[in-house]
Amino acid sequence: MKKILVIEDERLVRDNILDCLEDGGYEVVGVDNGQVGLDWASEHKPDLILCDVMLPELDGYEVLRSLRQEPTTALLPFVFLSAKVEKAEIRHGMNLGADDYITKPFTPDELLDTVAARLKRRDAIVQYAELLQASLFNSDRISLAPQPIINAPSTPAPAQYQDFNAFAQELAALQSAQFTGKLNVKSATDQSWDFYLHQGRLLYATGGMHLARRWQRHVSTYCPKFN
């Protein structure tokens, strides 16, 4: 059962959200304080976080900023809940790394649809990561070398990592820094993969032993009439 954290200081709104999510088959936890929500998320790693913007102690922006700065929580799906509908406010939240934005008031269907979409995307990322782990990391040492394309932040020199978790943390750090560019991964057996990111979001990955086959599969899938 997917676990969702709701950070909302208005009790009636929070209770309504919790009831709606429970009816939708989710395990839910509700808190009324930004700092408490941040601490709980850091410890328990929920599958998704719904967070109001205006909160006691830490507002929603600070909660999100803190989560994105930690590798273990940087990839947690995060959705803002707010009555603030100005474009600048929404853009600010998205620039901090929010995955979505639900404006109040909203219907139960809008809430459940957004939650389902975000969880589906997270599951797809996790599944993709597991496939990469199975196909790529057959050795105990890999080197990661971020290669900037445009507007990429400064990155540390290539380093050696011993397991897949280190690779995942590297991706999380690049997401937190809103990195734009190419991350090249080379295994000890000289297999090479390229991961293309835009503002921290993974767009595409290619590499391994059969580059031409992978390209051919994509062409045949998305451009079936292309000869």
Side-chain angles (χ1 to χ4, degrees):
M1 182 181 294
K2 300 294 186 181
K3 183 182 298 181
I4 299 176
L5 172 63
V6 179
I7 311 175
E8 169 61 65
D9 61 330
E10 294 187 33
R11 182 175 181 178
L12 180 60
V13 175
R14 184 174 69 253
D15 289 345
N16 286 337
I17 294 174
L18 295 177
D19 289 342
C20 179
L21 294 174
E22 285 182 342
D23 291 342
Y26 299 106
E27 179 182 352
V28 294
V29 174
V31 299
D32 62 359
N33 180 289
Q35 184 62 59
V36 174
L38 175 60
D39 294 340
W40 195 95
S42 299
E43 180 177 355
H44 298 281
K45 312 298 187 303
D47 295 293
L48 184 141
I49 300 172
L50 298 171
C51 184
D52 191 19
V53 173
M54 304 303 294
L55 293 167
E57 292 196 34
L58 288 181
D59 65 21
Y61 297 136
E62 289 299 324
V63 173
L64 177 57
R65 185 178 290 109
S66 298
L67 290 172
R68 292 296 186 249
Q69 290 175 349
E70 292 297 324
T72 58
T73 58
L75 298 179
L76 292 179
F78 190 102
V79 178
F80 273 122
L81 304 169
S82 179
K84 292 188 174 184
V85 295
E86 291 84 0
K87 184 177 180 179
E89 295 286 346
I90 295 176
R91 177 49 51 195
H92 179 56
M94 300 302 286
N95 286 341
L96 288 175
D99 294 280
D100 214 330
Y101 211 109
I102 303 178
T103 56
K104 302 176 183 178
F106 48 84
T107 66
D109 286 342
E110 290 174 336
L111 176 65
L112 292 174
D113 287 348
T114 301
V115 168
R118 291 300 134 196
L119 289 175
K120 182 178 180 179
R121 182 174 183 271
R122 174 181 170 83
D123 288 344
I125 293 174
V126 171
Q127 183 180 17
Y128 186 58
E130 290 173 350
L131 290 173
L132 288 177
Q133 183 178 16
S135 64
L136 178 61
F137 298 102
N138 53 7
S139 65
D140 62 350
R141 298 184 71 82
I142 60 173
S143 64
L144 300 180
Q147 300 178 10
I149 296 178
I150 52 172
N151 299 327
S154 59
T155 54
Q160 296 295 323
Y161 297 86
Q162 293 187 346
D163 56 24
F164 176 73
N165 289 334
F167 172 69
Q169 290 178 2
E170 179 75 7
L171 282 181
L174 293 177
Q175 182 188 53
S176 179
Q178 296 187 347
F179 174 83
T180 294
K182 180 175 70 173
L183 173 67
N184 176 258
V185 180
K186 181 175 289 187
S187 71
T189 57
D190 286 332
Q191 286 197 43
S192 181
W193 285 72
D194 291 326
F195 298 83
Y196 295 90
L197 299 96
H198 177 67
Q199 294 185 352
R201 296 180 183 273
L202 181 62
L203 300 180
Y204 183 74
T206 184
M209 296 177 62
H210 303 295
L211 293 174
R213 291 184 189 178
R214 183 169 296 104
W215 174 247
Q216 183 181 28
R217 286 197 297 269
H218 280 290
V219 170
S220 62
T221 299
Y222 298 106
C223 304
K225 296 182 180 180
F226 181 76
N227 186 351

